[in-house]
Amino acid sequence: HDELDDTSSKIRRIRRIERLGADVLTISADVADMNQMEAAKTRIDQEFGQIHGVIHAAGIAGGGMIQVKTAEAAERVLAPKVKGTLNLGRLLDDVTLDFFVLCSSVSAVRGVTGQVDYCAANSFLDAYSFLKNSTTDTLTVSINWDTWQEVGMAVKAVKGLDKRIIK
C-alpha cells in the first residue's frame, strides 16, 4: 500500500509504539457486540493479565437532519458510544480500574446542526462519567474533544470528501 493508506499508517504507528518499548496486541472487535468484547477481554487477560485502565474512543460520525433520519441510521451512530460504553462497564464491573476515559465531543455541549444522533451519543458519555464517579471509586473522565487535526472521524470525512472531489 502507498504512504496514504489508512491501514499502512496504523501499522507504522503500532510499530513505532513497539519500538518505544510497549507490548501491543491488536484485536478487531465491535465494542457494541458483547460476545466480541468478552472474547477480546479473554485474549487480553491471557496476554497481559488484569486490565488497569480503559480509553474508549470508538465512534461513528452522524449526519443528516432529524426529520429524515431513520432509526437504523441513528442506531449505527449511537451503538459504539452507548452500547459500547455499557458493554465495557458490564465487562469490567468486577475489575478495579485506575481510570476509565471516555472520548466524547464538544458536540455534546454545543450541539451541531444535522448531528442529533452524534450529539446524543456524546451526551450519554458525559452522563455515564458522572454516574460512574458518583457510584464507584474508578476515576471516570469524559473528555469533550473538538475536531482533531491529523486523526479521527473528521479527518477521515475530509479525506473521503477529497477523494470524491478528485474523481
Side-chain angles (χ1 to χ4, degrees), residues 130-166:
F130 180 79
L131 172 70
K132 291 303 273 188
N133 281 317
S134 63
T135 59
T136 71
D137 292 331
T138 299
L139 171 64
T140 305
V141 179
S142 183
I143 302 171
N144 298 102
W145 294 99
D146 202 343
T147 304
W148 294 354
Q149 293 180 359
E150 297 179 17
V151 297
M153 290 181 275
V155 173
K156 287 180 183 177
V158 169
K159 284 182 183 178
L161 180 60
D162 289 345
K163 288 178 185 174
R164 287 188 296 254
I165 292 171
I166 292 169

Side-chain angles (χ1 to χ4, degrees), residues 6-83:
D6 193 42
T7 301
S8 296
S9 176
K10 289 174 185 175
I11 291 169
R12 282 192 302 277
R13 283 187 244 142
I14 290 170
R15 287 182 177 161
R16 181 169 178 237
I17 291 169
E18 290 174 328
R19 281 193 305 273
L20 292 170
D23 293 321
V24 177
L25 173 65
T26 57
I27 299 172
S28 179
D30 180 353
V31 72
D33 183 317
M34 188 56 144
N35 292 329
Q36 290 183 31
M37 293 308 298
E38 287 171 343
K41 183 176 181 300
T42 298
R43 286 201 51 212
I44 293 165
D45 290 344
Q46 291 168 346
E47 184 79 21
F48 298 112
Q50 181 175 324
I51 296 171
H52 295 279
V54 172
I55 300 173
H56 178 34
I60 295 174
M65 300 304 291
I66 191 171
Q67 296 88 336
V68 294
K69 184 171 292 288
T70 65
E72 293 78 19
E75 172 61 23
R76 279 191 299 276
V77 175
L78 290 163
K81 291 184 182 277
V82 176
K83 284 185 180 177

Side-chain angles (χ1 to χ4, degrees), residues 66-142:
I66 191 171
Q67 296 88 336
V68 294
K69 184 171 292 288
T70 65
E72 293 78 19
E75 172 61 23
R76 279 191 299 276
V77 175
L78 290 163
K81 291 184 182 277
V82 176
K83 284 185 180 177
T85 300
L86 293 172
N87 284 347
L88 287 168
R90 287 183 195 113
L91 190 64
L92 300 168
D93 193 37
D94 61 343
V95 176
T96 303
L97 296 174
D98 296 332
F99 63 89
F100 190 175
V101 175
L102 303 167
C103 292
S104 182
S105 167
V106 295
S107 69
V109 179
R110 69 177 182 214
V112 179
T113 302
Q115 298 277 323
V116 65
D117 44 7
Y118 188 70
C119 295
N122 287 292
S123 292
F124 173 83
L125 295 181
D126 296 351
Y128 185 88
S129 173
F130 180 79
L131 172 70
K132 291 303 273 188
N133 281 317
S134 63
T135 59
T136 71
D137 292 331
T138 299
L139 171 64
T140 305
V141 179
S142 183

